[in-house]
Amino acid sequence: MKKLLFSLSCLCSCLVAGAQTEFRHVSFDEAKAAAKAESKLLFIDFYTDWCGPCKRMANEIFPQKPVGDYLNPKFVCVKINAEKGEGVELANKYKITAYPTFIVADATGKEMGKFEGGRDIDGLRTEIERIIDPSKSPDVVRSRYDSGERTPDVVLNYAALVFEEASNIRAKNAYEIAQKKAEKVVQDYFSNLSEADRLKKENLFVYRKYSSTPDTPSARFMTDNIDRFPADMKADIDTIVKDLFQNTMASRLGGHLPFNKADYEAEKAAIKRLRLNADKWYDQPLRFLDEYAKGDLSRFIDFCSSNITKLDKRLQTTMMLGMSDLIQTDDQAVRQKAARFIRSQLADMDARNIMFVAYTLMDLEGDTGH
């Protein structure tokens, strides 16, 4: 559970810039009339005030330029609070049972398809394309991929299908399993691309979603050739590289990457080579990881106790959620010390995260409790 929360937060950590999705503040009847007048479809975002993933989509995904560039020309976009006003009746009509739920409908309001839950940029677009383009339905995409077709569009949609199927299995760490399966599909595709094709905009999806760590082959190519990408890809590549290394630091602080000192040192060198620390964002996470790299877990916990407030809030939460993965030891005294450290931070923690941190405490304390 706590790993899923972390992974979702990483998926939504991209920077916001440029033109955003145009959600219209109109009634549903007015939205339908606008769709008819403009020869567009309807894109409906059903949300609630208390839904965390809804807020992440609203604050971090829909404001991004690529999302707005995709949605605005094709759809009249509306947000509907499922618990207020006409939203109650509409949620009932469309049989909404989870949030967020996204509906694609024609101009009369007839549902064409729906999907639930937060998505990143590529995932959102892929889900919508499956609904509006018959050639991208799951059965067709699978058939095209199995027949040997390896166009960027087919690979992107097939990887999304693999991810969705794997993430729906009832297994521990299902999200991580899904990510690895989908990433293998994309990395196999990447390995057969020429250098010229690796630099093309049609393959941007490889770097944006399926280059999860700096040592992924596609990520290494991207960072080694960052100045060779076309000018119209520069902003996207710069953002992807920035997010890649920031999310990698967060993964290390959350114990989601097995700590290998050589890999860590290579990442530090890349951060310096790529001049990513101009804003000093990395100063504090690197201090924590340098201390962790010394291998003295008791001393590391002392360091955390004295310096935790120097990390930004997202990284503080990430570390709390992942402390039991960081403190991999049979020394019960050290594990109890880590648990006491976490307990000392609960008063200042966002209430939404306390439930998940409880799992970390149970891992650290075992049956002894406090």
Side-chain angles (χ1 to χ4, degrees):
M1 179 69 74
K2 63 182 189 289
K3 286 191 175 184
L4 174 60
L5 178 66
F6 169 76
S7 300
L8 290 174
S9 72
C10 282
L11 284 178
C12 297
S13 65
C14 305
L15 298 179
V16 174
Q20 61 181 349
T21 305
E22 180 189 347
F23 282 101
R24 307 193 191 187
H25 302 287
V26 295
S27 70
F28 191 58
D29 283 342
E30 289 170 332
K32 290 189 292 184
K36 182 178 180 180
E38 299 171 30
S39 299
K40 293 181 179 181
L41 299 173
L42 290 165
F43 178 76
I44 311 165
D45 173 6
F46 278 97
Y47 72 99
T48 67
D49 291 335
W50 48 263
C51 167
C54 301
K55 293 175 182 177
R56 285 193 290 271
M57 292 297 293
N59 295 332
E60 300 167 2
I61 297 298
F62 288 123
Q64 294 193 57
K65 185 178 186 299
V67 180
D69 288 347
Y70 173 73
L71 288 173
N72 295 338
K74 298 178 179 68
F75 299 94
V76 170
C77 302
V78 289
K79 296 176 72 68
I80 296 178
N81 190 322
E83 298 179 337
K84 294 181 180 179
E86 68 173 347
V88 177
E89 181 180 347
L90 288 169
N92 198 35
K93 171 186 174 182
Y94 287 108
K95 297 179 171 61
I96 306 301
T97 60
Y99 303 100
T101 292
F102 303 105
I103 301 278
V104 175
D106 65 20
T108 70
K110 181 180 178 181
E111 179 182 323
M112 299 170 64
K114 72 170 65 167
F115 56 98
E116 301 171 351
R119 294 293 190 279
D120 63 4
I121 298 174
D122 291 321
L124 181 69
R125 179 168 179 166
T126 299
E127 293 285 2
I128 295 172
E129 288 290 314
R130 286 181 190 172
I131 296 170
I132 66 175
D133 186 345
S135 72
K136 294 176 183 177
S137 69
D139 288 345
V140 172
V141 168
R142 193 190 310 280
S143 175
R144 292 170 70 186
Y145 187 87
D146 289 346
S147 70
E149 186 176 344
R150 293 296 185 270
T151 60
D153 214 35
V154 166
V155 173
L156 170 61
N157 283 279
Y158 182 72
L161 182 61
V162 168
F163 180 88
E164 181 177 333
E165 290 176 343
S167 63
N168 286 335
I169 63 175
R170 293 183 178 274
K172 184 179 180 181
N173 300 332
Y175 183 92
E176 288 86 345
I177 293 169
Q179 180 69 22
K180 287 178 181 178
K181 285 187 175 182
E183 194 165 278
K184 185 180 186 306
V185 168
V186 175
Q187 292 300 319
D188 287 348
Y189 163 74
F190 177 81
S191 69
N192 290 308
L193 291 176
S194 67
E195 281 208 6
D197 285 337
R198 291 177 177 185
L199 296 167
K200 290 182 178 178
K201 196 165 190 176
E202 64 190 20
N203 288 312
L204 189 64
F205 75 94
V206 174
Y207 308 108
R208 181 155 52 210
K209 183 172 181 180
Y210 297 105
S211 303
S212 59
T213 60
D215 62 348
T216 306
S218 55
R220 286 200 303 269
F221 178 85
M222 175 177 59
T223 54
D224 288 346
N225 296 276
I226 194 167
D227 294 327
R228 295 179 59 199
F229 286 91
D232 65 346
M233 291 176 66
K234 179 173 172 49
D236 287 316
I237 292 295
D238 285 348
T239 296
I240 291 167
V241 169
K242 182 176 182 179
D243 290 342
L244 171 65
F245 282 92
Q246 289 193 357
N247 287 335
T248 297
M249 292 297 103
S251 293
R252 293 213 175 279
L253 284 170
H256 303 294
L257 288 177
F259 195 86
N260 179 289
K261 193 166 184 179
D263 289 344
Y264 172 57
E265 292 297 333
E267 289 156 13
K268 286 173 63 177
I271 289 168
K272 182 176 181 180
R273 173 172 59 84
L274 296 167
R275 299 184 180 89
L276 298 178
N277 199 30
D279 61 358
K280 305 299 182 183
W281 185 91
Y282 291 91
D283 284 357
Q284 291 304 323
L286 289 176
R287 283 186 67 211
F288 277 77
L289 290 168
D290 284 345
E291 190 66 31
Y292 183 78
K294 295 174 183 177
D296 187 333
L297 294 177
S298 180
R299 181 175 173 177
F300 173 68
I301 297 166
D302 290 336
F303 180 86
C304 291
S305 297
S306 300
N307 295 278
I308 188 66
T309 58
K310 296 176 183 177
L311 283 175
D312 71 33
K313 285 291 186 182
R314 182 172 78 97
L315 292 180
Q316 289 182 40
T317 301
T318 296
M319 181 175 286
M320 297 299 150
L321 291 170
M323 187 61 70
S324 60
D325 295 311
L326 280 173
I327 307 300
Q328 291 289 329
T329 178
D330 293 328
D331 188 330
Q332 290 302 310
V334 172
R335 295 178 68 81
Q336 294 301 318
K337 186 175 185 177
R340 288 194 298 274
F341 160 62
I342 291 176
R343 287 179 177 277
S344 73
Q345 302 300 311
L346 293 179
D348 296 324
M349 190 173 296
D350 189 317
R352 291 171 297 181
N353 294 322
I354 291 177
M355 175 176 64
F356 298 105
V357 171
Y359 289 98
T360 300
L361 285 171
M362 285 189 286
D363 286 344
L364 289 169
E365 296 178 345
D367 295 331
T368 62
H370 269 214

